[in-house]
Amino acid sequence: MSRPPHAAPPTVSPEELFNVVCGAASQNPAQVQASATRLKELLEIPGAYDLLQEIAATKTVALEVVPPEHKARIRERCLTFFDEADDIISQCNALVVAKIARQDYPVSWPQLIPHLMNVINTSVEARYNGSTPNATLLLRRALELLNAVLKEYAGYKMLTGVKTMGQLVQDLRLPLQAHYARLASSLPSFTPASLSQVNAVEELLLAHLSFKCLSRLTFWAYHRYTCCHDYMELEPWVNEFFQNSATQLQAISELRISLTSALSSAPSDPVTQRALELLTRHVRIFGKLFRRMQRDNTAHFVTLPICGDLVLYYWSKVVQATTGPAEQIAGWSISGMALFRDSLAQWAPTKRDGSQNDRVLSKEFVEDAVKILVTRFIPLNPSDLEGWMEDPEEWVNTEEKENDQWEYELRPCAERVLMTLATQYPQYVRPLIEQTFKQVVGQQSMELSAIIQKEALYCAVGRCAIRLKESIPFEQWLDTTLIAEVQVTDHSYAIVKRRIAWLLGKLVSDECLDANNVKLWQVLVHLLQDEGPGSDAVVRLTAAIALRECVDSLKFDADVFAPFLPTVVSALVKLTAEADGLEAKRRITDSLNTVIERTEARIVPLMGVVAAPIPQLWTAAAEDWLFKACLLGTVTKLVESAKEHANSLSALVVPLVRDGVTPPAQMHLDEDAFALWQSALRNTTTLEGQNGAPGLIELVPDLIRQLSSNLDVLGTIVNITESYFLLDAPRILQLYAVDLLRAFDVALKQATLTTSNKQLSTALSLLFQIAPPALWGEALHHSGLFATFVKALDEEKLHTIVLTEYVYVLARIALADRGMFVQLVSATAAAQGTKESLVWDPILNQWWNRFDNMSEPRLRKLTAMGIANLVATGRPEVLDRLSTEICNLWVDVFGEIKEAQANAGADESSLTMYWDRPFEDTYTDAEGTHEYERRKTVFNNDPVRTTPLIAFIGARLREAEAACGGAQELQSRYLAKAEPLLLKQVWDALNGTLP
């Protein structure tokens, strides 16, 4: 029968491909979109990449889509926007100039910086002599362009960019410094009246822009010589500039304070408002520079000239801010606190080398600092309480985030300063907090101010708990005070209760409080479920978060916690359902997951309580992938803790896994869905569902789809596949044999990593070891998988490791059913229209060639047993190699594998294998699950481990004699030309006389 004619393959036109590439780089958005779409289609056609390179190699084709003369005109036009009055247009132009400069300066655009500096120099002069009416606008635009270019180059990591930026620092630092000094010279003369003048706004803006450029130069130079140890010649200039900036900061800071005080109230004049705004921004840019330098290299920062004076000045402004309005505290205080905190090490009483420090803070200074922090900055303010009442869940979420963003929020920053003071000066901080604690702990005032102050003290105690555990009896405090305070029903006392919940979590995580204290659980459980007066959603949500920290502690004892488990689980499930925001739901679910994980099998009676609301929560979550991942984690922990009792959860597991590995959820949830899938298989005892519910067997089609298409997580998918094989390989093959092996065939052809091919081959070897050959033999042929092995061995293009793994797979097939192996060879030859010998040759060639690549004794024995089974078939293609390759292979294995039967006639399980490794040494995953025991059983029942090699080969040789017509026939036809010494070694081994 003639084959149907194939359609001619599509081809790529060189002209079309060139035009499409040009279109994709055009300036017309519509043309770019259309060309990009068509280019993607063309690149799918074979030969497209070859043609692209041919086009690139054609000398007559223009190298640039945008001609050089066009680029030159664009660059020239960019420098015509200096007098642009519209800020938006100017900002866009600055962005364009910066991007072009990154590519073209200094090689293709050498005049850029000289041109900018010429405009800046002439505009500064013109501004003061009045020769150019629009000098201010020209100067502003030039400084903005220069700042954009410097920002672009300051982030350059390549050596060419670093060299360019270094030259810019050398060329620009002194002229810009002189311009800033001139532009800022008028600032000290500002008065409340002068702020209403436009000229004052212009002076402030221009000074601010010039300092921004200088700050970029300064930080780049500081980073290079402190962290990269080059450009050391810039260090003196940086030191000088830092000292001048520190002095300048103090001057303009005091100016701002005096002007603000003189104005008394917010000005209504827009010019004055703009002037004050610019002055404030200018003060802050100094702080940003200092903070960046400090974060970049703290150790060097404290050695800069007058750095100590600068930091103490900042702290003095923090102290001064406590007497001003609340709205004026935050901005200045946060940067001042952050600088102060990270500089405290320079005033530590003991240096790092153990010597005493001459520069230390006095006891009075430290105590005053602690008092200010605890009384003014750590307490909740009216805006905090307002946020608490408006959106409790979001308030808690923000509080939790502040732990990671303490540099940008006042209260968290103050807390970190307190912690650092307690670390550097425990001899002062500890007695002060202890004394204050004793004064306040017994008081139960219902005044809001007293409640807020107590909350701040409890916060201070929690933050410094490690330093205070020798001074404050936390266990006694819990037993006598906290357990009573959580019972208070006053509405305002929720402030203290929320802090108590946080405090208990902190004390347990810092190991200052025993996690197995029954009173601890009584308090947390009460706070978790209390819905009466004196409690609210903030208290309950904080208690849920604290509960997770306590349960997750190292010394947690699940037996002590067990009496509280039903209440905790019910409360967490209820709290999850009641929470409005998905972020709050995630936090509660994280706590629930931890409880399930740590209580293990004790959760079994409560599985229904946990599982019941999950489908509804899953549906309501829609595309909140993070929350859905938490829900998958909950079910995974439930399955892992319940083990075989989790069989009843298959009705929940199956739809969740299927949803998680199906687009669009697959992109976000596949890792969590695979974890649940794997866990369910490892811990179950059956693939079938209970009481008509769907079982894990229904996910096999999804597994087959993933196996053939999802190469990104192929290793995970193969692990899941092996779990299915171990659980019930015959059942899977009965339903999906051809589709499954076809998916393996596709995966082997697509896998590019050697490890992926090895994992796939190992899974197939497992399948052929434990499943009846009648269930996979025919499918192995119809899927094309056997032919794929043969072709790979014939072409020998794959990595040696992969080819060796393929030989192991074929050895497993031969060992399982040699007759099936022969049928597979015959069927493959027939399908390819070739001789059977041409199929046998690559198999047998690689069987011998890859033998030296096999290092593990167990696998070398497998190979020897597999070829022995093929010898027993009597196939001439095999027996032709008996006297050479096969006997040599056997002799090698005889010499290295020592085995002994314990007693003559004993069953095979008594075989002693001196080469063997215990199962526990070869497999460590899934320990404690049913799959671990299943794997151990397969390992122990492996014929390679239970069958004596010499006896096995002797029996197969006798079968070969029978297949050939007797021993004499085998000798004369296949062994006559063998080396006598080689044959003697084989016979000696078979007769038990091998030395």
Side-chain angles (χ1 to χ4, degrees):
M1 181 182 293
S2 61
R3 296 183 179 180
H6 291 287
T11 58
V12 183
S13 164
E15 293 79 9
E16 182 188 10
L17 183 59
F18 176 72
N19 292 332
V20 166
V21 171
C22 293
S26 76
Q27 304 301 310
N28 186 336
Q31 187 179 0
V32 169
Q33 184 175 4
S35 298
T37 302
R38 180 55 181 158
L39 180 60
K40 187 176 181 181
E41 296 172 354
L42 291 176
L43 292 179
E44 297 292 329
I45 301 175
Y49 287 98
D50 177 56
L51 193 55
L52 269 179
Q53 188 181 38
E54 183 181 342
I55 293 173
T58 304
K59 305 300 184 183
T60 57
V61 175
L63 293 178
E64 299 187 57
V65 176
V66 180
E69 59 272 16
H70 290 187
K71 289 185 176 182
R73 285 200 297 270
I74 291 172
R75 291 193 294 262
E76 183 179 353
R77 197 178 297 116
C78 284
L79 299 180
T80 63
F81 287 82
F82 290 110
D83 59 352
E84 175 58 56
D86 187 89
D87 289 345
I88 301 298
I89 295 176
S90 178
Q91 290 170 9
C92 292
N93 182 61
L95 181 63
V96 171
V97 169
K99 298 303 179 184
I100 296 177
R102 185 179 180 93
Q103 301 297 326
D104 291 1
Y105 179 81
V107 178
S108 302
W109 202 3
Q111 70 276 19
L112 170 63
I113 298 300
H115 185 82
L116 288 178
M117 289 306 298
N118 180 57
V119 174
I120 291 172
N121 294 336
T122 55
S123 298
V124 169
E125 291 299 327
R127 175 172 169 75
Y128 291 101
N129 60 31
S131 60
T132 305
N134 62 345
T136 298
L137 180 60
L138 296 176
L139 179 55
R140 176 185 176 183
R141 298 307 185 207
L143 287 172
E144 288 171 344
L145 285 180
L146 181 60
N147 180 59
V149 173
L150 293 178
K151 181 179 180 180
E152 194 71 31
Y153 263 96
Y156 228 124
K157 304 301 180 189
M158 301 297 289
L159 289 179
T160 53
V162 171
K163 183 178 179 181
T164 301
M165 185 63 185
Q167 190 61 50
L168 288 174
V169 174
Q170 294 283 14
D171 295 343
L172 303 180
R173 55 191 176 92
L174 296 180
L176 285 176
Q177 196 170 353
H179 289 325
Y180 174 73
R182 188 172 184 180
L183 292 168
S185 61
S186 62
L187 299 187
S189 61
F190 279 8
T191 64
S194 64
L195 290 181
S196 60
Q197 300 174 7
V198 174
N199 187 62
V201 173
E202 294 175 350
E203 293 283 354
L204 281 167
L205 178 59
L206 296 174
H208 182 70
L209 289 173
S210 59
F211 190 83
K212 282 183 72 173
C213 296
L214 278 169
S215 68
R216 295 196 189 283
L217 300 178
T218 304
F219 178 75
W220 186 90
Y222 177 81
H223 173 76
R224 295 306 304 184
Y225 76 74
T226 59
C227 299
C228 304
H229 307 292
D230 53 12
Y231 291 92
M232 304 301 294
E233 67 275 10
L234 294 174
E235 182 175 4
W237 174 74
V238 171
N239 288 342
E240 178 191 357
F241 183 78
F242 178 86
Q243 184 171 353
N244 293 340
S245 298
T247 305
Q248 174 74 349
L249 165 77
Q250 297 180 41
I252 61 175
S253 170
E254 295 299 328
L255 171 66
R256 176 185 172 277
I257 293 171
S258 64
L259 290 174
T260 305
S261 301
L263 290 170
S264 68
S265 60
S268 57
D269 176 37
V271 176
T272 305
Q273 290 177 354
R274 176 64 172 161
L276 279 178
E277 176 194 347
L278 286 171
L279 185 58
T280 302
R281 286 173 55 192
H282 195 48
V283 170
R284 287 178 178 171
I285 198 175
F286 283 86
K288 288 180 180 179
L289 172 62
F290 300 149
R291 186 70 180 128
R292 285 191 71 192
M293 295 173 72
Q294 185 184 50
R295 280 198 301 255
D296 195 55
N297 192 316
T298 304
H300 189 86
F301 179 78
V302 298
T303 66
L304 292 171
I306 70 169
C307 176
D309 296 338
L310 172 68
V311 173
L312 291 177
Y313 174 79
Y314 265 101
W315 180 253
S316 71
K317 296 296 106 179
V318 171
V319 175
Q320 185 177 334
T322 61
T323 61
E327 61 272 11
Q328 295 182 5
I329 294 179
W332 178 271
S333 300
I334 294 173
S335 57
M337 284 184 189
L339 278 169
F340 181 69
R341 174 190 178 273
D342 287 351
S343 299
L344 276 172
Q346 67 175 311
W347 296 300
T350 305
K351 297 181 179 179
R352 290 184 178 180
D353 59 5
S355 61
Q356 294 300 307
N357 191 355
D358 296 332
R359 302 178 61 210
V360 296
L361 300 177
S362 66
K363 177 182 178 181
E364 181 182 6
F365 182 95
V366 174
E367 289 183 344
D368 287 344
V370 170
K371 290 175 183 177
I372 288 172
L373 292 169
V374 175
T375 60
R376 288 305 308 265
F377 294 109
I378 293 180
L380 299 173
N381 57 45
S383 64
D384 292 323
L385 299 178
E386 183 179 344
W388 178 325
M389 298 303 295
E390 288 181 354
D391 192 343
E393 291 179 10
E394 183 58 30
W395 192 86
V396 174
N397 294 334
T398 303
E399 286 291 297
E400 292 298 313
K401 290 177 183 176
E402 285 177 353
N403 290 328
D404 302 322
Q405 301 177 351
W406 63 267
E407 274 191 90
Y408 311 105
E409 298 293 337
L410 185 60
R411 261 190 308 114
C413 188
E415 291 170 13
R416 269 55 180 193
V417 175
L418 176 63
M419 293 163 63
T420 307
L421 283 170
T423 300
Q424 301 290 358
Y425 291 92
Q427 70 275 26
Y428 302 149
V429 177
R430 188 190 304 120
L432 179 60
I433 294 181
E434 180 185 2
Q435 178 185 358
T436 309
F437 173 79
K438 291 178 179 178
Q439 293 173 353
V440 175
V441 70
Q443 302 175 6
Q444 274 202 11
S445 173
M446 298 302 133
E447 292 286 338
L448 181 59
S449 59
I451 289 174
I452 289 176
Q453 197 56 61
K454 176 178 280 192
E455 188 271 347
L457 177 63
Y458 284 11
C459 174
V461 170
R463 290 297 183 192
C464 305
I466 295 176
R467 304 290 172 184
L468 297 170
K469 61 181 178 180
E470 301 299 329
S471 304
I472 297 178
F474 292 121
E475 300 278 353
Q476 180 183 342
W477 183 28
L478 171 63
D479 294 344
T480 60
T481 304
L482 297 184
I483 200 167
E485 287 189 327
V486 298
Q487 307 295 329
V488 177
T489 58
D490 185 84
H491 176 73
S492 298
Y493 222 73
I495 296 172
V496 174
K497 290 183 181 181
R498 172 255 167 189
R499 181 57 73 182
I500 290 174
W502 171 89
L503 177 66
L504 293 177
K506 190 75 172 59
L507 293 178
V508 172
S509 63
D510 287 345
E511 297 187 357
C512 296
L513 192 63
D514 185 8
N516 302 309
N517 188 320
V518 175
K519 297 289 181 62
L520 166 72
W521 299 120
Q522 289 176 353
V523 171
L524 282 178
V525 170
H526 173 78
L527 293 173
L528 183 65
Q529 61 179 350
D530 184 17
E531 297 184 0
S535 184
D536 61 12
V538 169
V539 176
R540 292 188 289 274
L541 183 51
T542 305
I545 297 169
L547 186 81
R548 179 179 59 81
E549 295 185 18
C550 296
V551 171
D552 205 27
S553 61
L554 292 175
K555 297 181 180 180
F556 172 77
D557 186 343
D559 290 330
V560 175
F561 181 71
F564 303 96
L565 181 59
T567 306
V568 167
V569 169
S570 299
L572 289 174
V573 170
K574 183 174 183 291
L575 200 57
T576 304
E578 292 175 347
D580 295 323
L582 291 171
E583 188 169 356
K585 289 180 184 289
R586 285 198 296 270
R587 295 188 188 279
I588 302 166
T589 305
D590 285 341
S591 297
L592 180 59
N593 293 352
T594 305
V595 170
I596 294 171
E597 180 180 12
R598 297 307 302 271
T599 54
E600 299 178 334
R602 299 169 187 81
I603 199 66
V604 171
L606 301 167
M607 285 196 307
V609 176
V610 177
I614 288 178
Q616 183 179 355
L617 291 171
W618 181 271
T619 303
E623 294 187 357
D624 188 305
W625 308 119
L626 290 177
F627 182 51
K628 283 192 168 182
C630 288
L631 292 176
L632 289 172
T634 300
V635 182
T636 302
K637 298 300 181 186
L638 201 58
V639 168
E640 290 172 350
S641 297
K643 300 190 183 305
E644 69 274 8
H645 300 288
N647 291 347
S648 61
L649 294 174
S650 64
L652 178 62
V653 171
V654 170
L656 289 182
V657 169
R658 180 170 289 146
D659 200 5
V661 299
T662 304
Q666 180 177 354
M667 183 183 299
H668 310 277
L669 299 177
D670 62 348
E671 183 177 347
D672 301 281
F674 285 137
L676 172 57
W677 200 349
Q678 181 81 80
S679 179
L681 288 165
R682 285 178 171 176
N683 289 282
T684 191
T685 55
T686 178
L687 287 176
E688 306 300 332
Q690 295 184 357
N691 302 320
L696 294 170
I697 189 69
E698 298 186 20
L699 288 173
V700 175
D702 297 273
L703 176 67
I704 292 172
R705 176 175 57 84
Q706 293 289 328
L707 184 62
S708 61
S709 62
N710 197 345
L711 295 179
D712 294 336
V713 287
L714 187 59
T716 301
I717 297 168
V718 172
N719 289 337
I720 293 173
T721 306
E722 289 187 1
S723 295
Y724 270 105
F725 292 166
L726 290 163
L727 192 55
D728 197 345
R731 175 73 170 138
I732 294 167
L733 290 172
Q734 287 169 356
L735 296 173
Y736 307 105
V738 175
D739 291 338
L740 176 65
L741 295 182
R742 186 176 289 125
F744 267 98
D745 184 47
V746 172
L748 284 169
K749 290 175 180 176
Q750 292 181 345
T752 56
L753 298 177
T754 301
T755 52
S756 298
N757 276 281
K758 184 174 181 180
Q759 288 173 318
L760 289 163
S761 301
T762 302
L764 286 169
S765 294
L766 174 65
L767 177 64
F768 299 148
Q769 176 189 341
I770 63 179
L775 294 177
W776 49 258
E778 186 177 353
L780 190 55
H781 170 66
H782 288 302
S783 66
L785 182 56
F786 189 83
T788 295
F789 288 136
V790 174
K791 182 180 180 182
L793 295 176
D794 185 27
E795 295 178 344
E796 207 171 353
K797 293 179 180 179
L798 299 176
H799 195 282
T800 299
I801 294 175
V802 176
L803 295 175
T804 307
E805 290 293 331
Y806 287 0
V807 173
Y808 296 151
V809 175
L810 296 180
R812 276 294 177 192
I813 298 172
L815 185 58
D817 190 330
R818 58 179 180 265
M820 181 71 73
F821 194 101
V822 173
Q823 292 180 38
L824 285 167
V825 172
S826 299
T828 301
Q832 296 177 352
T834 187
K835 297 178 181 179
E836 291 186 22
S837 61
L838 296 180
V839 178
W840 280 106
D841 283 346
I843 294 174
L844 297 173
N845 287 340
Q846 293 298 332
W847 211 298
W848 169 248
N849 293 339
R850 302 279 71 81
F851 185 69
D852 286 340
N853 303 122
M854 303 174 188
S855 58
E856 190 175 339
R858 177 178 62 87
L859 296 173
R860 290 168 74 89
K861 181 181 176 182
L862 166 65
T863 310
M865 293 176 70
I867 201 66
N869 246 15
L870 295 181
V871 167
T873 64
R875 293 288 305 189
E877 297 90 349
V878 180
L879 294 179
D880 281 342
R881 301 171 185 250
L882 178 61
S883 63
T884 53
E885 297 170 3
I886 296 175
C887 282
N888 272 300
L889 186 153
W890 285 343
V891 169
D892 281 349
V893 179
F894 290 155
E896 68 188 23
I897 293 182
K898 302 295 184 182
E899 297 177 338
Q901 199 79 33
N903 297 295
D907 68 74
E908 294 177 342
S909 63
S910 61
L911 183 67
T912 302
M913 296 159 287
Y914 299 103
W915 51 269
D916 197 22
R917 295 169 59 199
F919 174 75
E920 292 75 11
D921 292 348
T922 60
Y923 185 78
T924 56
D925 289 345
E927 192 168 356
T929 67
H930 287 287
E931 181 175 307
Y932 187 83
E933 299 303 322
R934 290 192 285 266
R935 279 192 181 273
K936 190 172 184 180
T937 300
V938 170
F939 180 84
N940 290 332
N941 293 332
D942 187 352
V944 176
R945 300 188 69 257
T946 60
T947 306
L949 178 63
I950 293 175
F952 181 85
I953 291 178
R956 301 295 82 76
L957 280 173
R958 288 190 291 274
E959 292 174 357
E961 291 174 354
C964 291
Q968 186 61 38
E969 186 69 18
L970 179 68
Q971 176 67 32
S972 61
R973 290 181 60 185
Y974 300 110
L975 296 177
K977 296 182 181 180
E979 294 182 11
L981 180 59
L982 178 62
L983 279 183
K984 182 179 183 303
Q985 290 177 305
V986 173
W987 299 135
D988 286 347
L990 296 177
N991 295 324
T993 59
L994 186 69

